[in-house]
Amino acid sequence: MLLGGVVFALIGMARAAGVVADPSARIEAPSAQHVPADAYNRALAGGRAGDLCRNIRCDVPPSLREGRAPSYPASELRAGIEGRAAVRFDIDVEGRPVNVVVHSATAEAFGIAASDAVKAWESTPAILDGKPVAYGPVLQVFPFGLPY
């Protein structure tokens, strides 16, 4: 079975927190495969983790512990359709994504795949004064590109 590739830009959380991220910073994760969490967190922070707490009160920003890239929707893959989806969510005090909504999508199937993936992510929560705090909103963008 041919799996489409999913490349997701590391601009969502940084943009939501008022950080100007490098739009070329991308982590490639094959469809439905584990996201390399350490690389994701390094690229997201870009050496400026404190900037992620500038607009959202925290001492330490949240970091991804475990997650998978969205599955490329079979209908879009068969039709040769590429696109993108942006998902908005908050991270609760236990590091779970909550209030997950599709912010925008070039096709409904991309939005559903992206939100389903984010709902399964696990993060270390943001910390303020030594205690976990809710963080958000986060806007994560997922470009869906065909593998050929």
Side-chain angles (χ1 to χ4, degrees):
M1 178 171 146
L2 178 64
L3 291 178
V6 175
V7 178
F8 52 97
L10 299 174
I11 58 177
M13 192 179 295
R15 191 176 278 166
V19 175
V20 177
D22 176 3
S24 66
R26 297 181 184 272
I27 301 257
E28 297 204 22
S31 180
Q33 297 299 310
H34 284 285
V35 172
D38 59 337
Y40 178 92
N41 293 324
R42 277 195 314 273
L44 183 66
R48 300 180 345 173
D51 288 348
L52 293 174
C53 291
R54 182 184 308 152
N55 296 332
I56 301 171
R57 286 193 33 115
C58 61
D59 298 322
V60 179
S63 60
L64 183 66
R65 274 194 328 243
E66 177 73 26
R68 289 188 176 270
S71 296
Y72 207 110
S75 59
E76 309 315 285
L77 184 60
R78 279 192 302 274
I81 298 173
E82 295 184 322
R84 60 189 310 113
V87 177
R88 185 176 301 271
F89 60 100
D90 298 313
I91 299 171
D92 72 10
V93 297
E94 295 180 3
R96 295 180 304 227
V98 294
N99 307 319
V100 179
V101 296
V102 176
H103 176 70
S104 64
T106 56
E108 183 179 5
F110 291 139
I112 292 168
S115 66
D116 286 348
V118 166
K119 288 176 185 175
W121 284 13
E122 298 174 15
S123 297
T124 300
I127 303 294
L128 177 64
D129 297 329
K131 297 180 181 174
V133 293
Y135 185 95
V138 175
L139 181 66
Q140 180 62 58
V141 179
F142 296 94
F144 288 80
L146 295 171
Y148 46 88

